[in-house]
Amino acid sequence: MKKIVIALDGYSSCGKSTMAKVLAKSIGYTYVDSGAMYRAVTLFCIQHNFFQGDRLNLESLRKEIKNIHISFVNNAETGLSETYLNGINVENKIRSMEVADKVSIVAAVDFVREEMVKQQQEMGKEKGIVMDGRDVGTIVFPDAELKIFVTASPEIRAQRRLDELIAKGNNSSSFEEVLNNLAKRDFIDSTRKDGPLKQAEDAVVIDNTSLTMEEQNEELMNLYHKAIL
């Protein structure tokens, strides 16, 4: 059976990562969370005091970008891949609101995107990969055999994100705070100069506002089987 590249793009907190993880696990593919890569770079910037409020020290980041290596290692217990920043597991740290509030700023930097895209394309050379993000089907893998664009209503997305934070022990964020954060990220992601969030012309749109997990997974599997014919 031939291996393909599957690209999932769409708005934040649409459940892209969950969709991609489940699909990759079901078909035996490698899962790469491209958004986690930008979150990891953002965490690096926070840890190294490259931020003054929302102002990012671009020169400091430019000097370090080639030393920032992102990898994904499979967790034997969960069967899912986790994000590593320079060899250190940062899967939980990159999911904080502090990182979420600044990731779009970092992701909009041209030399950051250039380096991350280079690392992502290297990961996909052997095919058999499921990657989700904002520009996977348009910039990273424009020739991907299957492209999917995921969307959902802002309110549903905010509630999902809040539930995720609470599940991880973060009870300090309000629904309004999360909703405003998503609106801010949507605007920055969609209007940035390099690799803006947009639907590839040949992408299949999935609006999962009212879909159950079972319906969503069934639709993904159907799309996969059609793509490998």
Side-chain angles (χ1 to χ4, degrees):
M1 187 180 296
K2 72 173 183 179
K3 289 188 175 182
I4 64 173
V5 170
I6 302 174
L8 281 86
D9 290 311
Y11 295 97
S12 59
S13 299
C14 277
K16 295 190 306 299
S17 294
T18 299
M19 293 169 69
K21 287 175 185 176
V22 171
L23 179 59
K25 191 174 182 179
S26 298
I27 62 180
Y29 276 24
T30 298
Y31 165 66
V32 175
D33 180 354
S34 71
M37 297 176 72
Y38 291 101
R39 283 174 172 268
V41 177
T42 303
L43 177 64
F44 182 94
C45 292
I46 292 171
Q47 291 176 335
H48 289 78
N49 300 313
F50 289 173
F51 275 105
Q52 295 297 325
D54 281 343
R55 187 170 182 175
L56 176 61
N57 188 326
L58 293 176
E59 288 309 308
S60 294
L61 179 54
R62 190 189 299 273
K63 292 176 182 177
E64 293 291 336
I65 191 62
K66 295 295 184 183
N67 298 319
I68 300 176
H69 301 288
I70 316 299
S71 58
F72 295 88
V73 178
N74 191 64
N75 183 315
E77 293 183 5
T78 64
L80 301 173
S81 61
E82 296 180 338
T83 313
Y84 281 68
L85 169 61
N86 293 336
I88 299 174
N89 189 326
V90 293
E91 184 62 33
N92 290 329
K93 289 183 178 179
I94 63 173
R95 306 299 171 182
S96 69
M97 278 302 295
E98 181 182 21
V99 170
D101 195 47
K102 299 185 184 303
V103 64
S104 290
I105 298 172
V106 173
V109 179
D110 55 358
F111 60 82
V112 172
R113 299 203 69 81
E114 181 180 344
E115 178 60 27
M116 292 301 103
V117 168
K118 186 184 302 181
Q119 292 188 28
Q120 290 159 11
Q121 290 175 334
E122 189 64 30
M123 295 175 189
K125 281 186 176 179
E126 301 301 318
K127 302 281 188 174
I129 190 171
V130 180
M131 184 178 293
D132 72 277
R134 303 289 191 280
D135 61 354
V136 183
T138 54
I139 302 296
V140 185
F141 296 120
D143 296 324
E145 291 86 348
L146 176 57
K147 301 176 186 177
I148 299 168
F149 191 87
V150 190
T151 186
S153 73
E155 291 76 17
I156 288 293
R157 291 161 53 209
Q159 188 59 56
R160 289 172 180 168
R161 175 62 177 151
L162 183 61
D163 291 343
E164 179 183 295
L165 289 170
I166 293 173
K168 292 184 177 181
N170 183 345
N171 298 305
S172 61
S173 301
S174 67
F175 176 82
E176 290 73 20
E177 180 184 6
V178 175
L179 184 62
N180 290 335
N181 172 258
L182 289 179
K184 175 183 175 182
R185 290 177 63 186
D186 287 349
F187 177 77
I188 295 176
D189 289 344
S190 301
T191 59
R192 68 187 176 217
K193 179 181 177 182
D194 295 290
L197 166 65
K198 66 178 183 179
Q199 178 188 332
E201 291 184 3
D202 54 347
V204 178
V205 178
I206 294 180
D207 185 335
N208 64 14
T209 298
S210 57
L211 289 180
T212 65
M213 191 68 72
E214 291 74 19
E215 290 171 334
Q216 179 175 273
N217 293 338
E218 182 179 358
E219 186 166 355
L220 285 172
M221 287 301 294
N222 287 337
L223 291 171
Y224 163 69
H225 286 302
K226 288 180 182 178
I228 62 174
L229 290 177

